Amino acid sequence: MKIEEVPQDDRYLGRTTVRDVCYALDANGEYRQAVSTGWEAKNEALSLAWEAVAEDAEAARREVLAGKKSPLAHHMKKHLFDVGLLASYTGFSKKTVRKHLQPGAFAGLDDRTLGRYADVLSISTEELKKV
């Protein structure tokens, strides 16, 4: 593909400073880096991926509302964290994170602990307590 033909479908990446770098032929027939804001096929794949994330987050939200999980479970899914990743970012053990996914244990957390989770998830402690 030629540099001027590099797709620029900005449905997702156009709203951010993130761009894809690809390689295309310049006027001399040499490969050069070209920046793209996306293309239809990639945007469709991103759309499907974000739909799956939203479904997982919604399922976790329903578990929270049913009293089976703490709000932390919902926010983990929404922000693409699993137990291991959240543990590594917060410095808590996996066992501790799993414990905090239980409503009773989460309800007893102090502000410092909630703050560590909130910081990692880039939300406020008040947001962390809600779904």
Side-chain angles (χ1 to χ4, degrees):
M1 142 182 9
K2 295 180 182 177
I3 286 181
E4 59 272 1
E5 296 171 347
V6 172
Q8 301 297 329
D9 182 352
D10 62 1
R11 184 167 45 155
Y12 285 103
L13 296 182
R15 293 179 255 172
T16 69
T17 58
V18 175
R19 300 290 183 262
D20 278 339
V21 174
C22 54
Y23 292 88
L25 294 172
D26 66 13
N28 298 324
E30 295 181 20
Y31 282 99
R32 301 280 185 221
Q33 287 185 350
V35 177
S36 173
T37 58
W39 53 92
E40 186 178 355
K42 181 176 182 170
N43 288 340
E44 185 61 30
L46 284 171
S47 180
L48 293 172
W50 281 115
E51 285 176 22
V53 169
E55 288 172 10
D56 287 348
E58 178 58 25
R61 188 182 78 78
R62 286 193 302 269
E63 286 187 301
V64 172
L65 294 175
K68 296 178 183 176
K69 295 284 183 181
S70 74
L72 180 60
H74 168 71
H75 293 292
M76 279 177 51
K77 293 290 186 181
K78 186 177 173 183
H79 292 93
L80 306 176
F81 280 86
D82 63 13
V83 169
L85 189 59
L86 189 59
S88 68
Y89 272 74
T90 59
F92 297 131
S93 69
K94 291 178 189 177
K95 182 178 179 180
T96 298
V97 172
R98 281 190 207 98
K99 180 181 174 184
H100 295 164
L101 292 172
Q102 301 308 313
F106 183 82
L109 294 179
D110 59 34
D111 288 340
R112 182 170 178 237
T113 302
L114 291 171
R116 283 170 69 177
Y117 282 123
D119 286 345
V120 167
L121 296 168
S122 298
I123 59 177
S124 70
T125 56
E126 290 308 310
E127 285 177 275
L128 180 61
K129 296 175 188 178
K130 301 175 187 174
V131 291

